[in-house]
Amino acid sequence: MTRASTPGIWSLTEGEVSRIVEMAWEDRTSFEAIEAQFGRNESAVIDLMRRHMKPSSFRMWRKRMAGRTTKHAALRGAVHLRHRASHTRP
């Protein structure tokens, strides 16, 4: 992979990469939230995950993410924009 084919990925710190991987691994964090915070769209996150995870872990993550509505804010609806425990006050 060359620098020209992946603009912006090379400028991430180890902490940012770690946080993106953590957010992507979580079921409730949408790709849109990652893009809003780090400027990386879904395909860039998938590429980052592919390069920073073991192949078996990446395959397991992709299988789990396939078709999951919680990873796309548009499919979740406005009710789920932010996680809040059911016992807390609105």
Side-chain angles (χ1 to χ4, degrees), residues 7-34:
I9 290 177
W10 301 100
S11 63
L12 292 173
T13 66
E14 284 186 41
E16 290 171 328
V17 169
S18 177
R19 183 63 182 135
I20 291 171
V21 168
E22 181 183 349
M23 289 174 77
W25 192 263
E26 294 171 350
D27 291 342
R28 291 184 175 209
T29 305
S30 68
F31 288 117
E32 290 84 357
I34 296 170

mmCIF file with all atom_site columns, all heavy atoms in Angstrom, residues 7-34:
data_model
loop_
_atom_site.group_PDB
_atom_site.id
_atom_site.type_symbol
_atom_site.label_atom_id
_atom_site.label_alt_id
_atom_site.label_comp_id
_atom_site.label_asym_id
_atom_site.label_entity_id
_atom_site.label_seq_id
_atom_site.pdbx_PDB_ins_code
_atom_site.Cartn_x
_atom_site.Cartn_y
_atom_site.Cartn_z
_atom_site.occupancy
_atom_site.B_iso_or_equiv
_atom_site.pdbx_formal_charge
_atom_site.auth_seq_id
_atom_site.auth_comp_id
_atom_site.auth_asym_id
_atom_site.auth_atom_id
_atom_site.pdbx_PDB_model_num
ATOM 1   N N   . PRO A 1 7  ? -4.503  8.386  1.648  1.00 0.00 ? 7  PRO A N   1
ATOM 2   C CA  . PRO A 1 7  ? -4.214  9.673  2.270  1.00 0.00 ? 7  PRO A CA  1
ATOM 3   C C   . PRO A 1 7  ? -4.801  9.761  3.668  1.00 0.00 ? 7  PRO A C   1
ATOM 4   O O   . PRO A 1 7  ? -5.893  9.296  3.932  1.00 0.00 ? 7  PRO A O   1
ATOM 5   C CB  . PRO A 1 7  ? -4.899  10.679 1.337  1.00 0.00 ? 7  PRO A CB  1
ATOM 6   C CG  . PRO A 1 7  ? -5.967  9.897  0.661  1.00 0.00 ? 7  PRO A CG  1
ATOM 7   C CD  . PRO A 1 7  ? -5.440  8.486  0.561  1.00 0.00 ? 7  PRO A CD  1
ATOM 8   N N   . GLY A 1 8  ? -4.039  10.352 4.581  1.00 0.00 ? 8  GLY A N   1
ATOM 9   C CA  . GLY A 1 8  ? -4.527  10.579 5.927  1.00 0.00 ? 8  GLY A CA  1
ATOM 10  C C   . GLY A 1 8  ? -4.303  9.441  6.900  1.00 0.00 ? 8  GLY A C   1
ATOM 11  O O   . GLY A 1 8  ? -4.239  9.667  8.091  1.00 0.00 ? 8  GLY A O   1
ATOM 12  N N   . ILE A 1 9  ? -4.196  8.221  6.434  1.00 0.00 ? 9  ILE A N   1
ATOM 13  C CA  . ILE A 1 9  ? -4.012  7.090  7.341  1.00 0.00 ? 9  ILE A CA  1
ATOM 14  C C   . ILE A 1 9  ? -2.645  7.161  8.004  1.00 0.00 ? 9  ILE A C   1
ATOM 15  O O   . ILE A 1 9  ? -2.487  6.823  9.160  1.00 0.00 ? 9  ILE A O   1
ATOM 16  C CB  . ILE A 1 9  ? -4.203  5.745  6.603  1.00 0.00 ? 9  ILE A CB  1
ATOM 17  C CG1 . ILE A 1 9  ? -5.671  5.586  6.252  1.00 0.00 ? 9  ILE A CG1 1
ATOM 18  C CG2 . ILE A 1 9  ? -3.736  4.581  7.445  1.00 0.00 ? 9  ILE A CG2 1
ATOM 19  C CD1 . ILE A 1 9  ? -6.003  4.358  5.473  1.00 0.00 ? 9  ILE A CD1 1
ATOM 20  N N   . TRP A 1 10 ? -1.659  7.631  7.313  1.00 0.00 ? 10 TRP A N   1
ATOM 21  C CA  . TRP A 1 10 ? -0.300  7.687  7.841  1.00 0.00 ? 10 TRP A CA  1
ATOM 22  C C   . TRP A 1 10 ? -0.156  8.732  8.937  1.00 0.00 ? 10 TRP A C   1
ATOM 23  O O   . TRP A 1 10 ? 0.795   8.695  9.697  1.00 0.00 ? 10 TRP A O   1
ATOM 24  C CB  . TRP A 1 10 ? 0.681   7.955  6.721  1.00 0.00 ? 10 TRP A CB  1
ATOM 25  C CG  . TRP A 1 10 ? 0.612   6.901  5.663  1.00 0.00 ? 10 TRP A CG  1
ATOM 26  C CD1 . TRP A 1 10 ? -0.043  6.985  4.481  1.00 0.00 ? 10 TRP A CD1 1
ATOM 27  C CD2 . TRP A 1 10 ? 1.162   5.589  5.718  1.00 0.00 ? 10 TRP A CD2 1
ATOM 28  N NE1 . TRP A 1 10 ? 0.077   5.806  3.791  1.00 0.00 ? 10 TRP A NE1 1
ATOM 29  C CE2 . TRP A 1 10 ? 0.818   4.938  4.522  1.00 0.00 ? 10 TRP A CE2 1
ATOM 30  C CE3 . TRP A 1 10 ? 1.925   4.906  6.666  1.00 0.00 ? 10 TRP A CE3 1
ATOM 31  C CZ2 . TRP A 1 10 ? 1.212   3.639  4.245  1.00 0.00 ? 10 TRP A CZ2 1
ATOM 32  C CZ3 . TRP A 1 10 ? 2.308   3.616  6.377  1.00 0.00 ? 10 TRP A CZ3 1
ATOM 33  C CH2 . TRP A 1 10 ? 1.949   2.993  5.182  1.00 0.00 ? 10 TRP A CH2 1
ATOM 34  N N   . SER A 1 11 ? -1.075  9.656  9.060  1.00 0.00 ? 11 SER A N   1
ATOM 35  C CA  . SER A 1 11 ? -0.951  10.719 10.043 1.00 0.00 ? 11 SER A CA  1
ATOM 36  C C   . SER A 1 11 ? -1.555  10.360 11.397 1.00 0.00 ? 11 SER A C   1
ATOM 37  O O   . SER A 1 11 ? -1.541  11.183 12.302 1.00 0.00 ? 11 SER A O   1
ATOM 38  C CB  . SER A 1 11 ? -1.595  11.997 9.510  1.00 0.00 ? 11 SER A CB  1
ATOM 39  O OG  . SER A 1 11 ? -2.971  11.788 9.315  1.00 0.00 ? 11 SER A OG  1
ATOM 40  N N   . LEU A 1 12 ? -2.072  9.172  11.562 1.00 0.00 ? 12 LEU A N   1
ATOM 41  C CA  . LEU A 1 12 ? -2.675  8.765  12.833 1.00 0.00 ? 12 LEU A CA  1
ATOM 42  C C   . LEU A 1 12 ? -1.606  8.366  13.837 1.00 0.00 ? 12 LEU A C   1
ATOM 43  O O   . LEU A 1 12 ? -0.628  7.704  13.500 1.00 0.00 ? 12 LEU A O   1
ATOM 44  C CB  . LEU A 1 12 ? -3.611  7.574  12.617 1.00 0.00 ? 12 LEU A CB  1
ATOM 45  C CG  . LEU A 1 12 ? -4.872  7.820  11.819 1.00 0.00 ? 12 LEU A CG  1
ATOM 46  C CD1 . LEU A 1 12 ? -5.586  6.513  11.556 1.00 0.00 ? 12 LEU A CD1 1
ATOM 47  C CD2 . LEU A 1 12 ? -5.788  8.781  12.547 1.00 0.00 ? 12 LEU A CD2 1
ATOM 48  N N   . THR A 1 13 ? -1.815  8.749  15.098 1.00 0.00 ? 13 THR A N   1
ATOM 49  C CA  . THR A 1 13 ? -0.929  8.304  16.166 1.00 0.00 ? 13 THR A CA  1
ATOM 50  C C   . THR A 1 13 ? -1.339  6.900  16.604 1.00 0.00 ? 13 THR A C   1
ATOM 51  O O   . THR A 1 13 ? -2.432  6.430  16.269 1.00 0.00 ? 13 THR A O   1
ATOM 52  C CB  . THR A 1 13 ? -1.016  9.248  17.379 1.00 0.00 ? 13 THR A CB  1
ATOM 53  O OG1 . THR A 1 13 ? -2.321  9.151  17.937 1.00 0.00 ? 13 THR A OG1 1
ATOM 54  C CG2 . THR A 1 13 ? -0.707  10.684 16.985 1.00 0.00 ? 13 THR A CG2 1
ATOM 55  N N   . GLU A 1 14 ? -0.483  6.251  17.379 1.00 0.00 ? 14 GLU A N   1
ATOM 56  C CA  . GLU A 1 14 ? -0.818  4.915  17.876 1.00 0.00 ? 14 GLU A CA  1
ATOM 57  C C   . GLU A 1 14 ? -2.070  4.965  18.751 1.00 0.00 ? 14 GLU A C   1
ATOM 58  O O   . GLU A 1 14 ? -2.894  4.053  18.716 1.00 0.00 ? 14 GLU A O   1
ATOM 59  C CB  . GLU A 1 14 ? 0.348   4.338  18.676 1.00 0.00 ? 14 GLU A CB  1
ATOM 60  C CG  . GLU A 1 14 ? 1.482   3.843  17.824 1.00 0.00 ? 14 GLU A CG  1
ATOM 61  C CD  . GLU A 1 14 ? 2.547   3.156  18.669 1.00 0.00 ? 14 GLU A CD  1
ATOM 62  O OE1 . GLU A 1 14 ? 2.190   2.408  19.601 1.00 0.00 ? 14 GLU A OE1 1
ATOM 63  O OE2 . GLU A 1 14 ? 3.722   3.382  18.381 1.00 0.00 ? 14 GLU A OE2 1
ATOM 64  N N   . GLY A 1 15 ? -2.210  6.032  19.527 1.00 0.00 ? 15 GLY A N   1
ATOM 65  C CA  . GLY A 1 15 ? -3.387  6.178  20.373 1.00 0.00 ? 15 GLY A CA  1
ATOM 66  C C   . GLY A 1 15 ? -4.665  6.317  19.567 1.00 0.00 ? 15 GLY A C   1
ATOM 67  O O   . GLY A 1 15 ? -5.699  5.762  19.931 1.00 0.00 ? 15 GLY A O   1
ATOM 68  N N   . GLU A 1 16 ? -4.603  7.077  18.467 1.00 0.00 ? 16 GLU A N   1
ATOM 69  C CA  . GLU A 1 16 ? -5.776  7.241  17.604 1.00 0.00 ? 16 GLU A CA  1
ATOM 70  C C   . GLU A 1 16 ? -6.144  5.931  16.930 1.00 0.00 ? 16 GLU A C   1
ATOM 71  O O   . GLU A 1 16 ? -7.323  5.579  16.856 1.00 0.00 ? 16 GLU A O   1
ATOM 72  C CB  . GLU A 1 16 ? -5.519  8.324  16.562 1.00 0.00 ? 16 GLU A CB  1
ATOM 73  C CG  . GLU A 1 16 ? -5.456  9.716  17.140 1.00 0.00 ? 16 GLU A CG  1
ATOM 74  C CD  . GLU A 1 16 ? -4.987  10.751 16.138 1.00 0.00 ? 16 GLU A CD  1
ATOM 75  O OE1 . GLU A 1 16 ? -4.171  10.425 15.260 1.00 0.00 ? 16 GLU A OE1 1
ATOM 76  O OE2 . GLU A 1 16 ? -5.452  11.901 16.242 1.00 0.00 ? 16 GLU A OE2 1
ATOM 77  N N   . VAL A 1 17 ? -5.149  5.198  16.455 1.00 0.00 ? 17 VAL A N   1
ATOM 78  C CA  . VAL A 1 17 ? -5.407  3.893  15.834 1.00 0.00 ? 17 VAL A CA  1
ATOM 79  C C   . VAL A 1 17 ? -6.050  2.961  16.857 1.00 0.00 ? 17 VAL A C   1
ATOM 80  O O   . VAL A 1 17 ? -7.045  2.291  16.567 1.00 0.00 ? 17 VAL A O   1
ATOM 81  C CB  . VAL A 1 17 ? -4.110  3.272  15.269 1.00 0.00 ? 17 VAL A CB  1
ATOM 82  C CG1 . VAL A 1 17 ? -4.330  1.821  14.864 1.00 0.00 ? 17 VAL A CG1 1
ATOM 83  C CG2 . VAL A 1 17 ? -3.608  4.079  14.085 1.00 0.00 ? 17 VAL A CG2 1
ATOM 84  N N   . SER A 1 18 ? -5.516  2.955  18.071 1.00 0.00 ? 18 SER A N   1
ATOM 85  C CA  . SER A 1 18 ? -6.062  2.105  19.124 1.00 0.00 ? 18 SER A CA  1
ATOM 86  C C   . SER A 1 18 ? -7.510  2.473  19.422 1.00 0.00 ? 18 SER A C   1
ATOM 87  O O   . SER A 1 18 ? -8.367  1.590  19.581 1.00 0.00 ? 18 SER A O   1
ATOM 88  C CB  . SER A 1 18 ? -5.206  2.247  20.386 1.00 0.00 ? 18 SER A CB  1
ATOM 89  O OG  . SER A 1 18 ? -5.750  1.494  21.431 1.00 0.00 ? 18 SER A OG  1
ATOM 90  N N   . ARG A 1 19 ? -7.809  3.757  19.487 1.00 0.00 ? 19 ARG A N   1
ATOM 91  C CA  . ARG A 1 19 ? -9.175  4.206  19.782 1.00 0.00 ? 19 ARG A CA  1
ATOM 92  C C   . ARG A 1 19 ? -10.129 3.857  18.645 1.00 0.00 ? 19 ARG A C   1
ATOM 93  O O   . ARG A 1 19 ? -11.263 3.449  18.886 1.00 0.00 ? 19 ARG A O   1
ATOM 94  C CB  . ARG A 1 19 ? -9.189  5.720  20.042 1.00 0.00 ? 19 ARG A CB  1
ATOM 95  C CG  . ARG A 1 19 ? -10.530 6.247  20.427 1.00 0.00 ? 19 ARG A CG  1
ATOM 96  C CD  . ARG A 1 19 ? -11.037 5.666  21.736 1.00 0.00 ? 19 ARG A CD  1
ATOM 97  N NE  . ARG A 1 19 ? -12.375 6.194  21.997 1.00 0.00 ? 19 ARG A NE  1
ATOM 98  C CZ  . ARG A 1 19 ? -13.389 5.468  22.408 1.00 0.00 ? 19 ARG A CZ  1
ATOM 99  N NH1 . ARG A 1 19 ? -13.241 4.199  22.687 1.00 0.00 ? 19 ARG A NH1 1
ATOM 100 N NH2 . ARG A 1 19 ? -14.574 6.015  22.586 1.00 0.00 ? 19 ARG A NH2 1
ATOM 101 N N   . ILE A 1 20 ? -9.690  4.009  17.397 1.00 0.00 ? 20 ILE A N   1
ATOM 102 C CA  . ILE A 1 20 ? -10.539 3.645  16.259 1.00 0.00 ? 20 ILE A CA  1
ATOM 103 C C   . ILE A 1 20 ? -10.841 2.151  16.279 1.00 0.00 ? 20 ILE A C   1
ATOM 104 O O   . ILE A 1 20 ? -11.987 1.736  16.082 1.00 0.00 ? 20 ILE A O   1
ATOM 105 C CB  . ILE A 1 20 ? -9.883  4.063  14.925 1.00 0.00 ? 20 ILE A CB  1
ATOM 106 C CG1 . ILE A 1 20 ? -9.868  5.590  14.813 1.00 0.00 ? 20 ILE A CG1 1
ATOM 107 C CG2 . ILE A 1 20 ? -10.621 3.449  13.737 1.00 0.00 ? 20 ILE A CG2 1
ATOM 108 C CD1 . ILE A 1 20 ? -9.061  6.117  13.640 1.00 0.00 ? 20 ILE A CD1 1
ATOM 109 N N   . VAL A 1 21 ? -9.828  1.329  16.531 1.00 0.00 ? 21 VAL A N   1
ATOM 110 C CA  . VAL A 1 21 ? -10.041 -0.123 16.606 1.00 0.00 ? 21 VAL A CA  1
ATOM 111 C C   . VAL A 1 21 ? -11.019 -0.442 17.729 1.00 0.00 ? 21 VAL A C   1
ATOM 112 O O   . VAL A 1 21 ? -11.938 -1.241 17.556 1.00 0.00 ? 21 VAL A O   1
ATOM 113 C CB  . VAL A 1 21 ? -8.700  -0.875 16.798 1.00 0.00 ? 21 VAL A CB  1
ATOM 114 C CG1 . VAL A 1 21 ? -8.929  -2.330 17.155 1.00 0.00 ? 21 VAL A CG1 1
ATOM 115 C CG2 . VAL A 1 21 ? -7.840  -0.748 15.550 1.00 0.00 ? 21 VAL A CG2 1
ATOM 116 N N   . GLU A 1 22 ? -10.850 0.203  18.870 1.00 0.00 ? 22 GLU A N   1
ATOM 117 C CA  . GLU A 1 22 ? -11.754 -0.023 20.005 1.00 0.00 ? 22 GLU A CA  1
ATOM 118 C C   . GLU A 1 22 ? -13.182 0.370  19.659 1.00 0.00 ? 22 GLU A C   1
ATOM 119 O O   . GLU A 1 22 ? -14.130 -0.370 19.939 1.00 0.00 ? 22 GLU A O   1
ATOM 120 C CB  . GLU A 1 22 ? -11.269 0.788  21.204 1.00 0.00 ? 22 GLU A CB  1
ATOM 121 C CG  . GLU A 1 22 ? -12.105 0.625  22.445 1.00 0.00 ? 22 GLU A CG  1
ATOM 122 C CD  . GLU A 1 22 ? -11.621 1.501  23.588 1.00 0.00 ? 22 GLU A CD  1
ATOM 123 O OE1 . GLU A 1 22 ? -10.525 2.075  23.503 1.00 0.00 ? 22 GLU A OE1 1
ATOM 124 O OE2 . GLU A 1 22 ? -12.370 1.619  24.576 1.00 0.00 ? 22 GLU A OE2 1
ATOM 125 N N   . MET A 1 23 ? -13.353 1.540  19.037 1.00 0.00 ? 23 MET A N   1
ATOM 126 C CA  . MET A 1 23 ? -14.697 1.999  18.666 1.00 0.00 ? 23 MET A CA  1
ATOM 127 C C   . MET A 1 23 ? -15.318 1.089  17.620 1.00 0.00 ? 23 MET A C   1
ATOM 128 O O   . MET A 1 23 ? -16.511 0.788  17.671 1.00 0.00 ? 23 MET A O   1
ATOM 129 C CB  . MET A 1 23 ? -14.630 3.434  18.143 1.00 0.00 ? 23 MET A CB  1
ATOM 130 C CG  . MET A 1 23 ? -14.343 4.460  19.214 1.00 0.00 ? 23 MET A CG  1
ATOM 131 S SD  . MET A 1 23 ? -14.113 6.108  18.550 1.00 0.00 ? 23 MET A SD  1
ATOM 132 C CE  . MET A 1 23 ? -15.823 6.561  18.223 1.00 0.00 ? 23 MET A CE  1
ATOM 133 N N   . ALA A 1 24 ? -14.525 0.649  16.652 1.00 0.00 ? 24 ALA A N   1
ATOM 134 C CA  . ALA A 1 24 ? -15.043 -0.225 15.593 1.00 0.00 ? 24 ALA A CA  1
ATOM 135 C C   . ALA A 1 24 ? -15.432 -1.588 16.163 1.00 0.00 ? 24 ALA A C   1
ATOM 136 O O   . ALA A 1 24 ? -16.375 -2.212 15.685 1.00 0.00 ? 24 ALA A O   1
ATOM 137 C CB  . ALA A 1 24 ? -14.007 -0.389 14.488 1.00 0.00 ? 24 ALA A CB  1
ATOM 138 N N   . TRP A 1 25 ? -14.717 -2.045 17.168 1.00 0.00 ? 25 TRP A N   1
ATOM 139 C CA  . TRP A 1 25 ? -15.000 -3.348 17.764 1.00 0.00 ? 25 TRP A CA  1
ATOM 140 C C   . TRP A 1 25 ? -16.300 -3.322 18.557 1.00 0.00 ? 25 TRP A C   1
ATOM 141 O O   . TRP A 1 25 ? -17.012 -4.316 18.642 1.00 0.00 ? 25 TRP A O   1
ATOM 142 C CB  . TRP A 1 25 ? -13.833 -3.766 18.658 1.00 0.00 ? 25 TRP A CB  1
ATOM 143 C CG  . TRP A 1 25 ? -13.913 -5.194 19.062 1.00 0.00 ? 25 TRP A CG  1
ATOM 144 C CD1 . TRP A 1 25 ? -14.416 -5.691 20.212 1.00 0.00 ? 25 TRP A CD1 1
ATOM 145 C CD2 . TRP A 1 25 ? -13.515 -6.334 18.289 1.00 0.00 ? 25 TRP A CD2 1
ATOM 146 N NE1 . TRP A 1 25 ? -14.352 -7.056 20.224 1.00 0.00 ? 25 TRP A NE1 1
ATOM 147 C CE2 . TRP A 1 25 ? -13.793 -7.478 19.051 1.00 0.00 ? 25 TRP A CE2 1
ATOM 148 C CE3 . TRP A 1 25 ? -12.940 -6.489 17.029 1.00 0.00 ? 25 TRP A CE3 1
ATOM 149 C CZ2 . TRP A 1 25 ? -13.528 -8.765 18.603 1.00 0.00 ? 25 TRP A CZ2 1
ATOM 150 C CZ3 . TRP A 1 25 ? -12.672 -7.781 16.589 1.00 0.00 ? 25 TRP A CZ3 1
ATOM 151 C CH2 . TRP A 1 25 ? -12.969 -8.892 17.362 1.00 0.00 ? 25 TRP A CH2 1
ATOM 152 N N   . GLU A 1 26 ? -16.646 -2.159 19.132 1.00 0.00 ? 26 GLU A N   1
ATOM 153 C CA  . GLU A 1 26 ? -17.874 -2.039 19.906 1.00 0.00 ? 26 GLU A CA  1
ATOM 154 C C   . GLU A 1 26 ? -19.093 -2.141 19.000 1.00 0.00 ? 26 GLU A C   1
ATOM 155 O O   . GLU A 1 26 ? -19.127 -1.555 17.934 1.00 0.00 ? 26 GLU A O   1
ATOM 156 C CB  . GLU A 1 26 ? -17.919 -0.696 20.632 1.00 0.00 ? 26 GLU A CB  1
ATOM 157 C CG  . GLU A 1 26 ? -16.867 -0.532 21.689 1.00 0.00 ? 26 GLU A CG  1
ATOM 158 C CD  . GLU A 1 26 ? -16.804 0.875  22.240 1.00 0.00 ? 26 GLU A CD  1
ATOM 159 O OE1 . GLU A 1 26 ? -17.446 1.782  21.666 1.00 0.00 ? 26 GLU A OE1 1
ATOM 160 O OE2 . GLU A 1 26 ? -16.110 1.068  23.247 1.00 0.00 ? 26 GLU A OE2 1
ATOM 161 N N   . ASP A 1 27 ? -20.102 -2.850 19.442 1.00 0.00 ? 27 ASP A N   1
ATOM 162 C CA  . ASP A 1 27 ? -21.301 -3.030 18.629 1.00 0.00 ? 27 ASP A CA  1
ATOM 163 C C   . ASP A 1 27 ? -22.125 -1.755 18.504 1.00 0.00 ? 27 ASP A C   1
ATOM 164 O O   . ASP A 1 27 ? -22.754 -1.516 17.498 1.00 0.00 ? 27 ASP A O   1
ATOM 165 C CB  . ASP A 1 27 ? -22.183 -4.138 19.214 1.00 0.00 ? 27 ASP A CB  1
ATOM 166 C CG  . ASP A 1 27 ? -21.546 -5.509 19.068 1.00 0.00 ? 27 ASP A CG  1
ATOM 167 O OD1 . ASP A 1 27 ? -20.635 -5.652 18.239 1.00 0.00 ? 27 ASP A OD1 1
ATOM 168 O OD2 . ASP A 1 27 ? -21.963 -6.424 19.785 1.00 0.00 ? 27 ASP A OD2 1
ATOM 169 N N   . ARG A 1 28 ? -22.142 -0.927 19.535 1.00 0.00 ? 28 ARG A N   1
ATOM 170 C CA  . ARG A 1 28 ? -23.019 0.244  19.538 1.00 0.00 ? 28 ARG A CA  1
ATOM 171 C C   . ARG A 1 28 ? -22.429 1.461  18.851 1.00 0.00 ? 28 ARG A C   1
ATOM 172 O O   . ARG A 1 28 ? -23.139 2.423  18.594 1.00 0.00 ? 28 ARG A O   1
ATOM 173 C CB  . ARG A 1 28 ? -23.391 0.615  20.961 1.00 0.00 ? 28 ARG A CB  1
ATOM 174 C CG  . ARG A 1 28 ? -24.292 -0.415 21.574 1.00 0.00 ? 28 ARG A CG  1
ATOM 175 C CD  . ARG A 1 28 ? -24.724 0.018  22.932 1.00 0.00 ? 28 ARG A CD  1
ATOM 176 N NE  . ARG A 1 28 ? -25.686 -0.966 23.423 1.00 0.00 ? 28 ARG A NE  1
ATOM 177 C CZ  . ARG A 1 28 ? -26.641 -0.694 24.251 1.00 0.00 ? 28 ARG A CZ  1
ATOM 178 N NH1 . ARG A 1 28 ? -26.780 0.514  24.710 1.00 0.00 ? 28 ARG A NH1 1
ATOM 179 N NH2 . ARG A 1 28 ? -27.467 -1.625 24.643 1.00 0.00 ? 28 ARG A NH2 1
ATOM 180 N N   . THR A 1 29 ? -21.145 1.498  18.605 1.00 0.00 ? 29 THR A N   1
ATOM 181 C CA  . THR A 1 29 ? -20.526 2.661  17.981 1.00 0.00 ? 29 THR A CA  1
ATOM 182 C C   . THR A 1 29 ? -20.687 2.575  16.472 1.00 0.00 ? 29 THR A C   1
ATOM 183 O O   . THR A 1 29 ? -20.241 1.619  15.850 1.00 0.00 ? 29 THR A O   1
ATOM 184 C CB  . THR A 1 29 ? -19.025 2.736  18.332 1.00 0.00 ? 29 THR A CB  1
ATOM 185 O OG1 . THR A 1 29 ? -18.886 2.718  19.743 1.00 0.00 ? 29 THR A OG1 1
ATOM 186 C CG2 . THR A 1 29 ? -18.412 3.989  17.767 1.00 0.00 ? 29 THR A CG2 1
ATOM 187 N N   . SER A 1 30 ? -21.320 3.571  15.890 1.00 0.00 ? 30 SER A N   1
ATOM 188 C CA  . SER A 1 30 ? -21.558 3.557  14.445 1.00 0.00 ? 30 SER A CA  1
ATOM 189 C C   . SER A 1 30 ? -20.323 4.032  13.685 1.00 0.00 ? 30 SER A C   1
ATOM 190 O O   . SER A 1 30 ? -19.466 4.729  14.236 1.00 0.00 ? 30 SER A O   1
ATOM 191 C CB  . SER A 1 30 ? -22.742 4.461  14.094 1.00 0.00 ? 30 SER A CB  1
ATOM 192 O OG  . SER A 1 30 ? -22.401 5.811  14.327 1.00 0.00 ? 30 SER A OG  1
ATOM 193 N N   . PHE A 1 31 ? -20.247 3.641  12.422 1.00 0.00 ? 31 PHE A N   1
ATOM 194 C CA  . PHE A 1 31 ? -19.157 4.111  11.570 1.00 0.00 ? 31 PHE A CA  1
ATOM 195 C C   . PHE A 1 31 ? -19.228 5.625  11.404 1.00 0.00 ? 31 PHE A C   1
ATOM 196 O O   . PHE A 1 31 ? -18.208 6.299  11.270 1.00 0.00 ? 31 PHE A O   1
ATOM 197 C CB  . PHE A 1 31 ? -19.206 3.431  10.198 1.00 0.00 ? 31 PHE A CB  1
ATOM 198 C CG  . PHE A 1 31 ? -18.801 1.977  10.240 1.00 0.00 ? 31 PHE A CG  1
ATOM 199 C CD1 . PHE A 1 31 ? -19.698 0.982  9.908  1.00 0.00 ? 31 PHE A CD1 1
ATOM 200 C CD2 . PHE A 1 31 ? -17.523 1.609  10.602 1.00 0.00 ? 31 PHE A CD2 1
ATOM 201 C CE1 . PHE A 1 31 ? -19.332 -0.347 9.946  1.00 0.00 ? 31 PHE A CE1 1
ATOM 202 C CE2 . PHE A 1 31 ? -17.132 0.280  10.638 1.00 0.00 ? 31 PHE A CE2 1
ATOM 203 C CZ  . PHE A 1 31 ? -18.042 -0.700 10.304 1.00 0.00 ? 31 PHE A CZ  1
ATOM 204 N N   . GLU A 1 32 ? -20.430 6.172  11.440 1.00 0.00 ? 32 GLU A N   1
ATOM 205 C CA  . GLU A 1 32 ? -20.596 7.623  11.327 1.00 0.00 ? 32 GLU A CA  1
ATOM 206 C C   . GLU A 1 32 ? -19.974 8.341  12.522 1.00 0.00 ? 32 GLU A C   1
ATOM 207 O O   . GLU A 1 32 ? -19.407 9.424  12.374 1.00 0.00 ? 32 GLU A O   1
ATOM 208 C CB  . GLU A 1 32 ? -22.077 7.987  11.185 1.00 0.00 ? 32 GLU A CB  1
ATOM 209 C CG  . GLU A 1 32 ? -22.696 7.583  9.869  1.00 0.00 ? 32 GLU A CG  1
ATOM 210 C CD  . GLU A 1 32 ? -23.186 6.138  9.818  1.00 0.00 ? 32 GLU A CD  1
ATOM 211 O OE1 . GLU A 1 32 ? -23.013 5.383  10.798 1.00 0.00 ? 32 GLU A OE1 1
ATOM 212 O OE2 . GLU A 1 32 ? -23.744 5.737  8.777  1.00 0.00 ? 32 GLU A OE2 1
ATOM 213 N N   . ALA A 1 33 ? -20.061 7.750  13.705 1.00 0.00 ? 33 ALA A N   1
ATOM 214 C CA  . ALA A 1 33 ? -19.445 8.352  14.891 1.00 0.00 ? 33 ALA A CA  1
ATOM 215 C C   . ALA A 1 33 ? -17.929 8.353  14.763 1.00 0.00 ? 33 ALA A C   1
ATOM 216 O O   . ALA A 1 33 ? -17.262 9.328  15.136 1.00 0.00 ? 33 ALA A O   1
ATOM 217 C CB  . ALA A 1 33 ? -19.872 7.591  16.145 1.00 0.00 ? 33 ALA A CB  1
ATOM 218 N N   . ILE A 1 34 ? -17.374 7.285  14.225 1.00 0.00 ? 34 ILE A N   1
ATOM 219 C CA  . ILE A 1 34 ? -15.927 7.214  14.003 1.00 0.00 ? 34 ILE A CA  1
ATOM 220 C C   . ILE A 1 34 ? -15.515 8.253  12.975 1.00 0.00 ? 34 ILE A C   1
ATOM 221 O O   . ILE A 1 34 ? -14.516 8.956  13.145 1.00 0.00 ? 34 ILE A O   1
ATOM 222 C CB  . ILE A 1 34 ? -15.510 5.797  13.562 1.00 0.00 ? 34 ILE A CB  1
ATOM 223 C CG1 . ILE A 1 34 ? -15.797 4.787  14.675 1.00 0.00 ? 34 ILE A CG1 1
ATOM 224 C CG2 . ILE A 1 34 ? -14.029 5.765  13.178 1.00 0.00 ? 34 ILE A CG2 1
ATOM 225 C CD1 . ILE A 1 34 ? -15.645 3.343  14.264 1.00 0.00 ? 34 ILE A CD1 1
#
